[in-house]
Amino acid sequence: EAQVTQNPRYLITVTGKKLTVTCSQNMNHEYMSWYRQDPGLGLRQIYYSMNVEVTDKGDVPEGYKVSRKEKRNFPLILESPSPNQTSLYFCASSLSQSRGRYEQYFGPGTRLTVT
Amino acid sequence: AQSVTQLGSHVSVSEGALVLLRCNYSSSVPPYLFWYVQYPNQGLQLLLKYTSAATLVKGINGFEAEFKKSETSFHLTKPSAHMSDAAEYFCAVRGPGYSSASKIIFGSGTRLSIRP
């Protein structure tokens, strides 16, 4: 089944404790992206990757890191989480960012709480 | 640069009534437009997309949207609401081209409630 998977789905942690949220897609998609969703703000892009070893900042990159060593995986790293990073996080992928293949496929989300 | 505005953070309709969710966009280039739906505790799912092939776009679950360039709108409609349509709906816009600046911008979402 074609899908985007995220782990964990739920995470409660404390301020300053490094964490990683994994994202994997099995559709051979070139483009992957991380979003956070907060009430009344819609989805805001954190980082994105056009392809392996190519990443770039989105609208709200502060406090986050990413890497794209393999095409299928795009982990999100919080080196020192803070309470303002409490949010619902989504990973998404799309086939390509050329030739109109822009529609994105989303993972189920990771609800992160930082205390 | 692109932007998108969804009018109304919450819309409530009766079962069987017309659903109309409003989306206006701003784009300096011909846009690609999308509607996504998010059911409770799930990720976003593509409902439909506009890619300049036809101004009236049909999507899944009986939804459709019409691209109106003169009004810079891409409103989502469904003739008859069903209880299962209760969800949050997001409009999104993207400019054409393969560029790091051409990214999808999402609206703030509209929560649709259906009254029995």
Side-chain angles (χ1 to χ4, degrees):
Chain A
E1 179 189 356
Q3 59 183 349
V4 179
T5 57
Q6 294 178 228
N7 282 293
R9 293 288 312 279
Y10 301 90
L11 179 59
I12 301 174
T13 190
V14 296
T15 299
K17 185 176 181 181
K18 180 180 179 181
L19 66 91
T20 299
V21 183
T22 64
C23 172
S24 182
Q25 50 91 7
N26 62 0
M27 296 170 279
N28 201 35
H29 284 176
E30 289 182 356
Y31 181 90
M32 297 186 75
S33 181
W34 276 103
Y35 297 89
R36 60 177 290 173
Q37 183 180 18
D38 301 288
L41 297 177
L43 275 76
R44 295 179 291 168
Q45 191 176 48
I46 302 170
Y47 270 94
Y48 63 96
S49 170
M50 292 288 199
N51 214 325
V52 177
E53 300 292 2
V54 180
T55 63
D56 208 346
K57 297 177 181 179
D59 298 316
V60 289
E62 294 77 22
Y64 304 95
K65 284 177 57 177
V66 293
S67 67
R68 186 93 181 273
K69 293 183 171 57
E70 306 166 282
K71 199 171 187 178
R72 63 182 294 130
N73 296 323
F74 191 45
L76 179 70
I77 302 159
L78 285 72
E79 294 270 3
S80 183
S82 63
N84 64 12
Q85 292 178 298
T86 292
S87 187
L88 179 58
Y89 291 85
F90 289 102
C91 181
S93 70
S94 65
L95 181 62
S96 171
Q97 287 298 289
S98 63
R99 299 185 297 278
R101 306 290 189 97
Y102 304 136
E103 60 268 28
Q104 297 191 20
Y105 297 82
F106 284 79
T110 294
R111 185 166 294 280
L112 172 65
T113 302
V114 184
T115 62
Chain B
Q2 283 72 239
S3 67
V4 61
T5 302
Q6 291 184 242
L7 298 174
S9 59
H10 183 210
V11 170
S12 180
V13 303
S14 297
E15 191 173 19
L18 171 72
V19 174
L20 171 61
L21 304 183
R22 300 178 186 274
C23 173
N24 288 89
Y25 70 90
S26 171
S27 178
S28 56
V29 294
Y32 288 78
L33 294 158
F34 308 85
W35 275 100
Y36 286 85
V37 60
Q38 183 181 27
Y39 298 105
N41 299 314
Q42 294 186 27
L44 279 71
Q45 176 184 355
L46 182 68
L47 261 182
L48 50 81
K49 64 178 180 179
Y50 167 76
T51 59
S52 78
T55 56
L56 183 62
V57 181
K58 294 189 184 298
I60 61 173
N61 301 338
F63 284 93
E64 62 182 36
E66 186 173 7
F67 173 70
K68 292 187 177 180
K69 184 178 179 180
S70 61
E71 299 177 8
T72 61
S73 68
F74 190 57
H75 301 332
L76 182 70
T77 60
K78 181 174 180 177
S80 177
H82 191 272
M83 296 299 291
S84 61
D85 294 327
E88 186 143 22
Y89 293 80
F90 292 92
C91 182
V93 63
R94 188 200 189 281
Y98 186 75
S99 151
S100 62
S102 295
K103 57 185 181 181
I104 291 182
I105 305 295
F106 287 86
S108 56
T110 297
R111 184 163 60 91
L112 176 64
S113 300
I114 312 296
R115 302 187 299 271

